[in-house]
Amino acid sequence: MSSQKSELPIHTKHTPADDHRKVSLNLDPYAPAEVYYGDSHSPRKVGGKGRTYSAGNAPRRFLCDVDETLKTLLMREDTDHNIQITIDDHGPKTIQLGTAASGGYRHFDVRGTYMLSNLLQELTLAKWYGRKQIVLDESRLNENPVNRFARLIKDQFWPNLTRRIDGGNIAAVARDPKDWSKDPHPRMYIPRGAPEQFQYYTRIARQHPEMRLEVNYLSEDPSNEEYVRDLNEAPGLLAVAMERIADTPEGEPDFKGLPFVVPGGRFNELYGWDSYMETLGLLVNDREDLCESMVKHFCFCIRHYGKILNANRTYYLCRSQPPFLTDMALRVYDRIKHKPHALQFLKDAILAAIKDYYGTWMSAPRYDPESGLSRYVPGGLGVPPETESTHFIHVLKPYADKHGITHDEFVHAYNYGHVVEPELDEYFLHDRAVRESGHDTSYRLERVAAHLGTIDLNSLLYKIECDIARTIRAFFNDKLDIPAEWQSPGQKNVEVSSTWDRRAKKRRLIMDKLMWNEEKGMYFDYNTVKREQTGYESATTFWAMWAGVATPQQAQAMVQKALPRFEVHGGLVSGTEESRGPVGLSRPNRQWDYPFGWAPQQILAWTGFMRYGYDEEAQRLAYRWLFMCTKAFVDFNGVVVEKYNVTQQISPHKVTAEYGNQGSDFKGVATEGFGWVNASYVYGLQIVTAHMKRALGAVTPWDTFQRMVQGDPLAAQEAFEPPIHVHVAAHVQEAAKLKHDEIFHDARAHAHEHDGNGHEHNGHPVPGDLHELHSHEPLQHSNESTKGHQATYGDSEHEQHDSLGAAESYIHPGHAEFSKA
C-alpha cells in the first residue's frame, strides 16, 4: 500500500480513553473543533489561574456533561425531532448550564434559538471527538453570527470538503452510488498517457485484494460515444493529477493524489465550474495550495481527456461544464507569483485552456459556424447513465409501450440502436446539453439547450480570449510555443496575442448583433436553429458584465433596466417569473428558475457590477445574499445549502424543487456547508463595508439598514420589536435597542464619508479599473471582518449575555414570530 495516508474528508471520532483530557482555560475560544475538542488539549485545571479580569468582566465558561446536556437539550427543545434546534421548534428556548469557575454549582441561562442551536452544535462536535465532559466558552454560543459563519467555513467546511484520490482511500472514493451495474465495486480508469498511475494503482490492487479494485486503461480515444456508452456497463473513477513522493520501502515508485474541494459532502469527484467558484472563497481564506492543485487537475483532464470534465467519472467523458480555467489560473498565479514554479504553472494552464478552446468549444458540434457562437452540445448515446433507471420513466414509458417491451428492455434496446426514435434522440440531445451547461434544469434550456448560443457560455469564451491575449503579451513576449502534447488538430505551433484579440473583438460584435436587446437592456440566448433571440430573461445576462463584453452604455442599461427585474429579497433570482411561466402539477418548477437563487449568479454579478464602477449595486446585492444566508444560518441550526428561495424571507433554504437541497440534511451540526455557497459568503464579505458587516451580524434586513442609513428615526425601533410569543425582559429589549442604535449612528456617520459620486474614502477596495493582465483587479483581503464584533456586542460578559442571549435569536428583525409581514 502507499506509504502515505490521504486525509479523509470527515474528522474521525476519538475514543473515550482520552476522557481525562480537559480544555485549557487559556485556549482560544474560537479555535477550530479539532483544537478545541481534539488531541491538542493540554491538561486543564478548573480552579487554576487564568488571565486577570476586573469584576464582572471575566469571560464565562460552562462545565458540561456532554451526553447528559445533549439529552436534556434535545428533549426540551427539539420538538420536531430532527436533531436540530430551529425557529420551527416550540420548546422553552432556555436551558441552565453550570459555570466552570464554580465547579458547576452556579447556573446561568442560555436562551434563544441561536445560542441553543450553537450549544447543540458544540456538544455534537465534542461527542464526535470522544469528549465526555467539556469546559465550553460562552463566546462560542453568542458569537457574532457573521464571524461564526465565516470561521466555520475556513476551519471546518473547507477541510471537510477536501478530497484526494490515491491508494490511501481509493476503496472509499472509487465507490459510486450511481453504479447501477450488477456487480458494483471500485474501478479505476487510467489514460494511456499516464502509465505511472496504471502501475501504481495496479500495485495497490495487488497488495489489497480485499478492495476488489479493478484497474483499466482507457481507450486511445476516450471521448468516442460508443466506447463511453459501453463503459456504462462497468462505470468507474477517472484518474486525476498526482505527485511523486518517496519510494516505498521495497523501492517502488510511490505517489500522492493532489487535493481538491468537492461541492458537497456526498461527492468524491472533481467537478468543473464548482471548483472555480470554490477557488474564489479558498483564496480569501489563503488556501491557494488547494486552488493550485485544482488547476493542475484541470490541466491533467484537458491533456488526457480532451476537456475539463463535468466530473471525473467515466459517464462524463463526453461532457464538459462552463469553462473558467483562465480566470481561475490567473487568480491563483497572482497569489503564488513569488514562487519559482509560478510561471510554469501559468504557462501549463494557458496551454491547457488553448487546447480546450480549440478542441471543445470551437469544434463541431458545439461551434455553430453560421452564427459564430458556441453552444453546449456534449456527445453521448442513449439515456444518461448517471441517473436512476426510473428518472426518465415518464418520458420512456410511451415508447416502451409502443414496442411492447419493459422499461429496462427498452432502455437497453434504445441505447444500442436496436430501436430508433428520432424524437427521443432530440430529447436526450438537449437533456445532455442542459447538464453540460451546469444549469440543470431550467425552462430556459429545456428541449432547446443544444440549439442555444447562450450568453453565459459566449461570455466565458470572450473572457478566455481576452485572458489568453493578455497573458501571451505580458508573460511570453507575445509568442507562445505550443508543444505537440498540447496541440489540437489543425492548430498552429505558435500563438500570438493579436490572434486572440481579434477573436475577442469578433465575438463581441457577434454578441452585440445577435444577443443584445436595447429595449430590454439585457442580453438573451440566441437560438441558432430558429435564428432568433429566445426572450427568456435570465440572470446569466450579467455574465457579460463579469467578462467585460458589455460597453459602458450597455452596462448602464443593464443596471437601469435589467437589474430591477432580477433583484429580490435575497439577491438575484435566476430568472424572472414572467419568463418561467405558470407552474403546477403538470408543469413542475425547475431549480434554476424563479424563485430560486444560486451562488454563482450572485458572485459573477457582484464582480461584474464592480468592474463597471457600480459598487453600490454590488454591495447592496451582496448584502441581500449575505443577510439571507446569515438569517437561515441563525434560525436553522447553522444550515448552509446548495440553493435558496431568494424570494422567501423566512426559511429560504426550504426548497422543494427537483433534486432536493444538498446541505440541509444533517444531525446536530452542519460539517461541510456547500462549496460555492461557502465561497460566496467569504467572497461577499470582502465586498460589503465594515458597517454593513456589523449590521449583518445583528441580522438586519437590507430595507431596514437602508432606512437607518438614510436617517429614518423609526427604522430601528420598528425593526427590533420583541417577539409576541416569547417573554423578553425589559432590560434585554433595551440592550438590544442600544446595540442597534450604535449601528444606526455608525451608518449615519459612514454615509458622510461618500463624495458626490458615491465613492468611498475609507479604503474599501473598488476594483473598477482594468489591470493590464487581469480584466479586473482581484479583491483585496479585508481585516475588517471581525472589527464589528466587540463594538456590536460589547466586551463584557454581562453585555454579551443580555444582548445576544435574548429569546429567539437576540430579537433579530424579520423573525417569523414578530415580523410585521
Side-chain angles (χ1 to χ4, degrees), residues 476-493:
F476 304 110
N477 298 317
D478 213 4
K479 181 182 177 182
L480 181 63
D481 295 322
I482 310 298
E485 64 269 22
W486 289 113
Q487 288 186 18
S488 295
Q491 183 185 351
K492 298 178 181 178
N493 296 331

Side-chain angles (χ1 to χ4, degrees), residues 484-553:
E485 64 269 22
W486 289 113
Q487 288 186 18
S488 295
Q491 183 185 351
K492 298 178 181 178
N493 296 331
V494 177
E495 295 287 349
V496 295
S497 64
S498 59
T499 303
W500 294 90
D501 285 330
R502 287 195 297 272
R503 286 175 177 147
K505 183 177 180 180
K506 179 181 178 181
R507 188 178 300 274
R508 187 182 208 170
L509 292 173
I510 292 171
M511 294 174 71
D512 279 347
K513 178 181 178 181
L514 300 181
M515 310 178 86
W516 173 252
N517 187 306
E518 185 68 34
E519 180 183 355
K520 295 281 189 178
M522 68 179 80
Y523 291 88
F524 289 101
D525 301 328
Y526 181 78
N527 190 311
T528 60
V529 174
K530 294 183 177 180
R531 304 297 168 188
E532 64 183 18
Q533 294 179 3
T534 66
Y536 195 105
E537 297 172 338
S538 168
T540 52
T541 188
F542 299 116
W543 292 32
M545 294 179 68
W546 173 85
V549 175
T551 65
Q553 293 77 17

Side-chain angles (χ1 to χ4, degrees), residues 324-328 330 350 460-473 475 500-501 504 546-547 611 773-776:
F324 286 91
L325 180 57
T326 56
D327 190 79
M328 183 178 180
L330 286 168
I350 295 301
L460 293 175
L461 293 176
Y462 174 84
K463 179 69 160 58
I464 287 171
E465 291 159 349
C466 292
D467 287 345
I468 292 173
R470 293 181 179 121
T471 305
I472 292 175
R473 186 163 51 243
F475 290 99
W500 294 90
D501 285 330
W546 173 85
R611 175 173 187 161
L773 174 61
H774 297 282
S775 58
H776 57 268

Side-chain angles (χ1 to χ4, degrees), residues 46-59:
V46 175
K49 272 193 171 183
R51 295 167 58 189
T52 301
Y53 294 90
S54 59
N57 201 35

